[in-house]
Amino acid sequence: MTKKIILSAAIFGAVFMFGQERQKLTPEQREAKKAEMVQKAKERQQAHLDKMTTELNLSKKQVEQIKALQEKNNAEREANRAKMEEMRKQRQQEMQEILSPEQYDKWQKQRLENMQKQRDAWKNKAMRKGGKQGGTKPQNTPH
């Protein structure tokens, strides 16, 4: 029981510190972290393609077709991300026009607190599953 309490406290502390660390990053540090994450995603994508190539005995033509599909999906995902960011900015601007400055500040604070709670819950759920952040996604299986 004591070990579980200590482990829980350690996990909570790590998650709390991660959240605090993110808030302290400068814009340059955030960009560097984003670039690092993009690079890691590309590496995971390549590793997955390598595994598929071996396990499914893919031809060179199939590998090239899958790479093209991955690139198309990546571009679409990035376009959607940019569109969502623009929508978020527009919503904030509209809220700022509707609310008084005090109301807007309070709304922003509440919004940020809720986002942090959601992140913490998501990370804690992943930790309980014993995986990395996000856990594992179920694989599509044929019916």
Side-chain angles (χ1 to χ4, degrees):
M1 182 69 175
T2 305
K3 289 181 182 180
K4 286 183 181 180
I5 293 171
I6 293 171
L7 182 59
S8 296
I11 290 171
F12 177 77
V15 169
F16 180 76
M17 287 174 56
F18 178 79
Q20 296 300 315
E21 172 190 321
R22 185 177 187 281
Q23 294 173 355
K24 294 177 185 176
L25 296 178
T26 65
E28 295 82 16
Q29 290 170 323
R30 276 191 218 115
E31 282 300 315
K33 192 163 186 89
K34 181 179 176 183
E36 179 184 338
M37 290 173 64
V38 167
Q39 181 60 35
K40 286 181 181 181
K42 287 180 182 180
E43 290 170 3
R44 283 191 307 272
Q45 198 170 48
Q46 183 60 48
H48 181 68
L49 181 57
D50 292 345
K51 183 177 178 181
M52 286 177 59
T53 301
T54 302
E55 291 179 356
L56 302 176
N57 197 24
L58 299 177
S59 69
K60 287 184 181 184
K61 181 179 179 183
Q62 288 173 315
V63 170
E64 292 305 314
Q65 289 173 323
I66 292 172
K67 278 185 182 180
L69 179 61
Q70 287 175 336
E71 290 172 9
K72 176 184 152 214
N73 289 340
N74 291 345
E76 288 174 358
R77 189 171 22 261
E78 189 57 39
N80 288 337
R81 186 175 292 127
K83 182 178 177 183
M84 292 298 290
E85 177 65 18
E86 186 59 38
M87 289 171 59
R88 184 189 65 76
K89 286 179 182 178
Q90 174 137 5
R91 271 193 315 271
Q92 283 192 331
Q93 182 179 357
E94 290 170 355
M95 287 297 286
Q96 198 165 15
E97 292 170 5
I98 294 169
L99 301 174
S100 71
E102 296 82 18
Q103 290 171 322
Y104 182 78
D105 289 344
K106 186 175 180 179
W107 175 74
Q108 279 286 74
K109 183 180 178 192
Q110 290 172 341
R111 211 176 113 260
L112 292 173
E113 287 172 356
N114 288 337
M115 286 172 47
Q116 187 62 45
K117 285 178 187 176
Q118 288 176 340
R119 275 192 212 108
D120 292 346
W122 179 72
K123 288 175 188 170
N124 288 335
K125 182 179 178 182
M127 295 291 246
R128 283 193 306 270
K129 285 186 174 184
K132 298 182 208 173
Q133 289 180 0
T136 58
K137 293 182 181 177
Q139 298 295 318
N140 291 338
T141 54
H143 294 269

